[in-house]
Amino acid sequence: MSFKRIRLELARTDDFPEGSRNHGYEFVAPLGDDGYLDVEEWKRHRKKCTVYRFWQGDDDEHGFLTLTRSGSWAFSYSPGEEDDEPIFRFEAHPFGEGEYVSITEHDGVDRPFKVVSVR
């Protein structure tokens, strides 16, 4: 297990048919050798599990990877769950370059993101 910095960039959508390098996330999370989230390490080191959201035209946001009361994973930028961005089946995704993950953003839209780097 080691902490990794994972960069997600917007994948193809109707608005961005080629995807976008200017819209995405960078987050830090503990990954096992298999590329999956190590939940026990996350529990021990939550404050290390940060997220940075960059979205061209919007202010950058900084927050944390969190587990919600309902048991789903999300990116959270302030206390409470009102601003949380749920991540679909986060614990079931291997984080390797070329993999995809879906995030429901602030506007309620579920968007696909591509893993472009894991360092």
Side-chain angles (χ1 to χ4, degrees):
M1 188 290 310
S2 61
F3 283 87
K4 301 289 186 180
R5 179 172 301 279
I6 300 119
R7 183 178 175 93
L8 306 174
E9 294 179 356
L10 186 64
R12 292 184 300 209
T13 64
D14 289 342
D15 293 335
F16 295 93
E18 302 300 316
S20 174
R21 296 177 54 176
N22 299 317
H23 300 84
Y25 301 84
E26 280 192 7
F27 69 99
V28 175
L31 300 182
D33 293 338
D34 57 2
Y36 288 88
L37 176 69
D38 184 324
V39 177
E40 294 307 312
E41 283 300 305
W42 172 84
K43 287 177 183 176
R44 286 190 285 275
H45 303 284
R46 293 178 192 189
K47 295 203 185 251
K48 288 185 180 181
C49 300
T50 59
V51 62
Y52 160 66
R53 181 182 187 270
F54 56 95
W55 203 264
Q56 188 173 18
D58 288 348
D59 291 337
D60 292 346
E61 294 184 79
H62 298 271
F64 293 93
L65 174 62
T66 188
L67 194 54
T68 66
R69 282 179 263 154
S70 66
S72 61
W73 292 94
F75 293 141
S76 183
Y77 305 97
S78 63
E81 295 185 4
E82 294 78 33
D83 72 328
D84 288 0
E85 295 177 323
I87 307 161
F88 182 71
R89 299 196 59 204
F90 187 78
E91 70 287 346
H93 285 284
F95 286 93
E97 290 182 19
E99 297 288 340
Y100 289 85
V101 64
S102 294
I103 300 172
T104 304
E105 297 195 292
H106 298 313
D107 60 5
V109 175
D110 188 42
R111 291 186 176 89
F113 291 85
K114 184 176 182 178
V115 178
V116 296
S117 69
V118 179
R119 338 175 235 154

